[in-house]
Amino acid sequence: MRTLYPAAAALILLLAGCSGTATPSTTAPSPSSASASPTTTPSSPATSDPGPTTPGNGSGQGAGAPDDSGRFTYVCSNLNEAVPEVTYSSLAEVWASTEYVRLATCAASYEGPLPFEPTEDEARIISIAEPGITPSAGLDAYLTALALCTRVSDDAASDLFGRSSRQMLLAASELCPRAPQGRIIGLWAAGERAGDGESAVASGGLVAGKFHLRKTPPEGCAWSVSAADGSKKASGGATEGQSGIILEEKDVLTSDKCGIWEKME
């Protein structure tokens, strides 16, 4: 009988070990996100999510925060036509995209409840873009300002900036001062930059001063400056344009294939 005790003890220990096996967790690991967004918005003060916004109190955009309201989406195309369009859920996501510098166009769309009722910040931007308009009727104006805020630089979008009104540029400048191109939009809004075409020194246009070409233009650059009566005051090409030209009140700058003009002083 004494020889049975070790075997019994071993059996008891075996049973105890089996009963002490850890029970598998019933909580499954969180699956990785399957978001269609191409990139994850970096965690930084400029792009962090400040939390949900109460309609009527503003989305925070007017204070320079990215569009975090969840009310708008952005469909962007790539300079490489083989790359399909991508939909982003906020301005911050557009700016953080690894494809940002290769974006060709971005169209903003409203995804909120209808009819459109702007928040306080949105109404303020609309009133800048189109003074006198009823804010609730200004959705298109707000979407245009949002689209301007997606642009990479004036080199990539000088036509867009050049054909936008001073008021719309001011609205975009107020809407996204923290955008990668926020300072550039501000210069266009202040009348301190111009592109190819006709640009007048007047209220809502260019400011008076000395301008020059920001970069060496391609071959064929030609420009002229005309007075208010239409008489030609000056003309030239790339060399003179890079040296600088003087624009006075009511002058009209006509530029062709010269690129972007920038105020020097």
Side-chain angles (χ1 to χ4, degrees), residues 236-254:
T239 301
E240 298 85 356
Q242 288 181 289
S243 297
I245 62 175
I246 301 297
L247 296 178
E248 300 176 324
E249 292 294 334
K250 298 183 180 180
D251 281 352
V252 176
L253 169 65
T254 302

Side-chain angles (χ1 to χ4, degrees), residues 62-242:
D67 169 27
D68 54 13
S69 65
R71 290 156 59 85
F72 304 92
T73 59
Y74 307 82
V75 178
C76 301
S77 64
N78 200 288
L79 291 171
N80 181 354
E81 295 181 358
V83 177
E85 291 184 336
V86 179
T87 300
Y88 301 94
S89 62
S90 70
L91 284 175
E93 196 174 52
V94 174
W95 302 336
S97 169
T98 56
E99 294 295 310
Y100 180 63
V101 297
R102 291 179 288 275
L103 295 182
T105 62
C106 286
S109 299
Y110 176 61
E111 303 296 336
L114 294 173
F116 172 67
E117 291 295 337
T119 65
E120 291 177 6
D121 279 345
E122 292 165 0
R124 185 174 66 84
I125 297 301
I126 290 169
S127 69
I128 296 173
E130 293 191 19
I133 193 174
T134 302
S136 59
L139 177 58
D140 287 344
Y142 193 77
L143 293 177
T144 299
L146 285 175
L148 284 172
C149 287
T150 67
R151 296 299 68 223
V152 177
S153 68
D154 50 0
D155 289 314
S158 59
D159 288 345
L160 178 61
F161 290 144
R163 68 172 179 265
S164 297
S165 68
R166 173 79 74 84
Q167 290 302 127
M168 182 59 72
L169 290 166
L170 286 170
S173 181
E174 285 287 319
L175 177 59
C176 57
R178 296 183 186 176
Q181 75 286 19
R183 186 186 69 84
I184 291 173
I185 296 176
L187 291 173
W188 284 85
E192 297 184 4
R193 289 204 175 178
D196 285 330
E198 287 192 356
S199 303
V201 179
S203 175
L206 294 178
V207 295
K210 187 174 183 179
F211 284 73
H212 74 144
L213 291 172
R214 291 187 60 246
K215 296 182 178 180
T216 302
E219 187 176 351
C221 165
W223 59 268
S224 64
V225 178
S226 301
D229 61 4
S231 60
K232 185 174 292 187
K233 298 175 64 174
S235 62
T239 301
E240 298 85 356
Q242 288 181 289

Side-chain angles (χ1 to χ4, degrees), residues 15-53:
L15 292 175
C18 291
S19 63
T21 301
T23 302
S25 171
T26 56
T27 303
S30 299
S32 59
S33 173
S35 171
S37 304
T39 57
T40 301
T41 303
S43 178
S44 65
T47 59
S48 59
D49 185 356
T53 300

